[in-house]
Amino acid sequence: RIVLDGEMPGRDAVSSTLLGLADLICVQSEALAEALRAEGFNAIALPPGWSRQNSLWEQPSPRRHTINLGWIGPPGHVEDVAEIRRPLIRLVREHPQTRLVIGGDPQVDRLFDRYRVAESRRLFLPPVNAEDTPSLLAELDISLVPLRDTPSNRLESDLPLMAAGVRGIPWVASPTPA
């Protein structure tokens, strides 16, 4: 069994051979499963989930006097977040009760360096392992999930939306298949 985490594998001989040897390929999104099936592979989508065994999912968010808008994600989405940078900077500048939270990717944080958004109005959260993700999400009041319309982004899972929902956080996302 092969489990792919989010992207269509490359079309090199090794990837094709490995995928061809698998009885079943499990992926996190139906769009990725469909793409693999179109290539002739036996693939299914297992939507992301969470476990109540991780008590961090149910811990209350810290009290604050700001409305924290934020993006939390893995490396590789700088261009996606760059699409909303200008309106987000404007929003934070025009509304003093807002704070920008960026989690996971230092390159995304650099989009909002001190010349655009003051240090006091933003917070960077370094990457953590998957078990600690609920702690990062606890810092958000509204989760932002911008995705450009690219082949790779069309295959993304809805994990960020599911995680925000588990924490009870509203989200604003691009209209992609996930």
Side-chain angles (χ1 to χ4, degrees):
R1 182 175 289 176
I2 296 176
V3 178
L4 297 176
D5 190 17
E7 283 193 24
M8 185 78 161
R11 303 217 185 255
D12 61 20
V14 174
S15 295
S16 295
T17 301
L18 287 173
L19 292 175
L21 291 172
D23 294 325
L24 181 64
I25 303 167
C26 300
V27 295
Q28 288 188 358
S29 76
E30 187 57 40
L32 182 53
E34 286 177 21
L36 287 165
R37 287 192 291 265
E39 296 285 327
F41 299 109
N42 185 19
I44 63 167
L46 292 176
W50 79 100
S51 170
R52 291 193 189 277
Q53 291 177 336
N54 183 345
S55 63
L56 294 176
W57 285 109
E58 299 187 22
Q59 293 220 342
S61 296
R63 295 186 63 113
R64 55 184 161 260
H65 299 289
T66 57
I67 297 172
N68 288 0
L69 309 171
W71 175 89
I72 295 174
H77 289 279
V78 173
E79 292 177 15
D80 296 318
V81 178
E83 292 281 318
I84 65 166
R85 180 177 76 177
R86 291 183 116 165
L88 197 51
I89 289 170
R90 183 175 173 199
L91 182 74
V92 172
R93 283 182 177 168
E94 291 180 5
H95 299 276
Q97 72 276 24
T98 59
R99 184 177 193 195
L100 179 62
V101 178
I102 301 296
D105 188 347
Q107 283 188 302
V108 172
D109 185 52
R110 282 187 220 115
L111 290 173
F112 304 96
D113 65 16
R114 65 183 163 183
Y115 301 108
R116 292 185 173 87
V117 176
E119 291 286 330
S120 63
R121 302 287 306 283
R122 70 180 219 257
L123 172 65
F124 175 70
L125 305 169
V128 297
N129 60 40
E131 293 80 32
D132 293 329
T133 298
S135 296
L136 295 185
L137 289 167
E139 295 296 329
L140 300 181
D141 295 308
I142 300 173
S143 180
L144 306 173
V145 188
L147 292 173
R148 292 168 299 126
D149 187 14
T150 65
S152 175
N153 283 345
R154 282 187 224 117
L155 301 177
E156 289 277 334
S157 80
D158 62 356
L159 180 61
L161 307 180
M162 185 272 319
V166 171
R167 287 287 309 170
I169 302 167
W171 46 265
V172 178
S174 302
T176 60

